[in-house]
Amino acid sequence: VNIEERLMVVEVRQYIQDNILIFDGAMGTMLQKKGLQVGENTEVFGYENPDILVDIHKEYYEAGSNVATTNTFGCNELKLPQGYDLEKVIDSAVKAAKKAASLVNNDNEKYVALDIGPIGEMLEPMGTLSFDRAYEIFKRQMIQGEKSGADIIVIETMMDLYEIKAALLAAKENTNLPVFCTMTFDENGRSFTGCLPESMVVTLQGLGADAVGVNCSLGPDLLLPIVEKILTRATIPVMVQANAGLPCIKCGEAVYDMTAEQFLSGASKFVKMGAKIIGGCCGTNPEFIKALSQNIKNVEVKPIEKNLECVVCSPSKIVEITGPTVMGERLNPTGRKPLQDALISGNLDYVVSLGLDQVEEGA
């Protein structure tokens, strides 16, 4: 399950150049059908029941998935219950997916993706978790995932651009694996922390992501305008994993009423628009992936256009540099004693006022 085995399949970055890469569907949805109880830790359940994980991954591979996503979404040192070794849980999850791949004899290329979700605490300044601490938490997960034989790292369901930057840097600086990054967005076109899809794209592809996109969030139809925005900025493969619509509550449980055929109708539009990586999120199962596998591989995909526009962004604003652009530079403290004193003393009101003055002058 080491480097030699990974070399037996086409390297995933090369595969995406000429093919649609199909991810699996929901893990939590499947685990609940296999006995996971409400409130039970998902990663611990999988660690103690590895054969169940193998069966789930096997079902997805048999349905036509190219990628099995490991049961490690919340497997970090802050979330994992005491008494469980992080490295052992990750290793067990990766090996379950590798075993499932060895049991399926179809002709599909098969990969294992180390699944990395949010840490579970907000980063500064909205929360108390520092960027450096987040980086170290992610780093520990990434290193073990590569040691255990994962082929890809997928960083998913992120809401904060700052947090996904920490995860991406931890992956790129400590492993040699391809890294796919997806965030989750609301109907208003922004993440929970206010990040724009366009800001996500230009930031993450600038930091070396191998694919970027959206997962979870909404059903296929409601994701269309968000995917369109992502595709206008992306110069790397785009990934989409929609939910099976929006859930309704029946008998105290979230139930997804969307059928596999309805999901296919919406998800196939992503491929026609230019997405190269497709799969499912909450509420989807092997039937959904089978529908994708049997119907989208022959869809003609738009080539990725090399967008050479120069842009700068914050999470909540993106500016195209298309000509002469007014840029405020008075927040540079060099040679500005009042600004230096304000920064040293923590007088941010003065700093903000300098910024606002420049905005009012047209910066």
Side-chain angles (χ1 to χ4, degrees), residues 2-19:
N2 294 320
I3 295 173
E4 292 80 7
E5 183 171 335
R6 287 206 296 271
L7 291 175
M8 292 174 63
V9 296
V10 177
E11 208 275 342
V12 69
R13 281 171 284 215
Q14 180 183 341
Y15 182 85
I16 298 171
Q17 295 302 312
D18 303 311
N19 302 275

Side-chain angles (χ1 to χ4, degrees), residues 157-175:
T157 324
M158 291 287 182
M159 296 177 286
D160 181 4
L161 186 61
Y162 202 34
E163 182 175 13
I164 198 170
K165 283 172 64 176
L168 176 56
L169 288 171
K172 299 298 288 188
E173 293 176 354
N174 297 283
T175 79

Side-chain angles (χ1 to χ4, degrees), residues 278-326:
I278 194 79
C281 205
C282 301
T284 61
N285 58 45
E287 289 184 17
F288 288 69
I289 302 308
K290 185 176 181 179
L292 287 176
S293 175
Q294 292 181 343
N295 291 280
I296 68 169
K297 288 201 171 182
N298 295 323
V299 172
E300 186 175 347
V301 183
K302 290 183 179 179
I304 298 172
E305 297 181 5
K306 296 299 181 184
N307 187 336
L308 300 179
E309 293 176 345
C310 178
V311 298
V312 293
C313 73
S314 69
S316 59
K317 186 177 180 64
I318 187 165
V319 177
E320 294 183 11
I321 309 299
T322 56
T325 304
V326 178

Side-chain angles (χ1 to χ4, degrees), residues 44-293:
V44 169
F45 180 85
Y47 180 65
E48 295 179 345
N49 299 277
D51 290 343
I52 290 179
L53 292 184
V54 173
D55 288 342
I56 293 172
H57 293 313
K58 186 169 175 281
E59 286 186 54
Y60 277 124
Y61 278 133
E62 289 174 337
S65 170
N66 299 117
V67 183
T69 309
T70 61
N71 183 43
T72 54
F73 177 82
C75 192
N76 66 63
E77 59 192 68
L78 297 188
K79 282 185 175 180
L80 197 65
Q82 288 187 350
Y84 290 91
D85 184 278
L86 177 75
E87 283 73 17
K88 288 182 179 179
V89 175
I90 291 176
D91 187 63
S92 176
V94 172
K95 287 180 176 174
K98 303 290 279 188
K99 182 177 179 180
S102 71
L103 296 174
V104 178
N105 294 320
N106 58 30
D107 294 331
N108 292 342
E109 296 291 325
K110 299 178 184 67
Y111 306 94
V112 171
L114 175 71
D115 192 17
I116 301 292
I119 291 172
E121 293 187 12
M122 297 298 292
L123 269 66
E124 299 171 337
M126 288 181 284
T128 59
L129 188 68
S130 72
F131 184 89
D132 289 344
R133 176 75 174 107
Y135 177 97
E136 292 300 323
I137 290 171
F138 287 127
K139 175 182 174 180
R140 185 177 172 189
Q141 296 171 272
M142 311 297 190
I143 290 175
Q144 184 57 51
E146 184 174 42
K147 283 183 180 178
S148 297
D151 305 294
I152 308 164
I153 293 171
V154 58
I155 304 166
E156 60 151 318
T157 324
M158 291 287 182
M159 296 177 286
D160 181 4
L161 186 61
Y162 202 34
E163 182 175 13
I164 198 170
K165 283 172 64 176
L168 176 56
L169 288 171
K172 299 298 288 188
E173 293 176 354
N174 297 283
T175 79
N176 292 310
L177 298 180
V179 187
F180 299 171
C181 299
T182 60
M183 291 184 67
T184 179
F185 298 92
D186 298 328
E187 281 187 74
N188 64 8
R190 291 179 181 267
S191 75
F192 174 74
T193 58
C195 179
L196 292 169
E198 301 95 322
S199 293
M200 172 197 71
V201 172
V202 298
T203 299
L204 299 182
Q205 67 187 13
L207 287 172
D210 295 281
V212 67
V214 57
N215 80 294
C216 202
S217 311
L218 307 162
D221 290 341
L222 292 177
L223 275 187
L224 282 172
I226 293 171
V227 174
E228 187 175 19
K229 291 177 181 178
I230 292 172
L231 285 163
T232 61
R233 295 289 176 188
T235 60
I236 58 176
V238 168
M239 176 176 179
V240 185
Q241 287 184 289
N243 285 346
L246 296 174
C248 57
I249 304 300
K250 294 181 180 179
C251 301
E253 294 185 3
V255 177
Y256 293 85
D257 292 330
M258 179 174 282
T259 66
E261 290 72 23
Q262 291 170 328
F263 183 82
L264 171 65
S265 175
S268 60
K269 296 175 184 176
F270 301 140
V271 177
K272 293 176 182 177
M273 292 164 65
K276 298 295 294 281
I277 307 169
I278 194 79
C281 205
C282 301
T284 61
N285 58 45
E287 289 184 17
F288 288 69
I289 302 308
K290 185 176 181 179
L292 287 176
S293 175

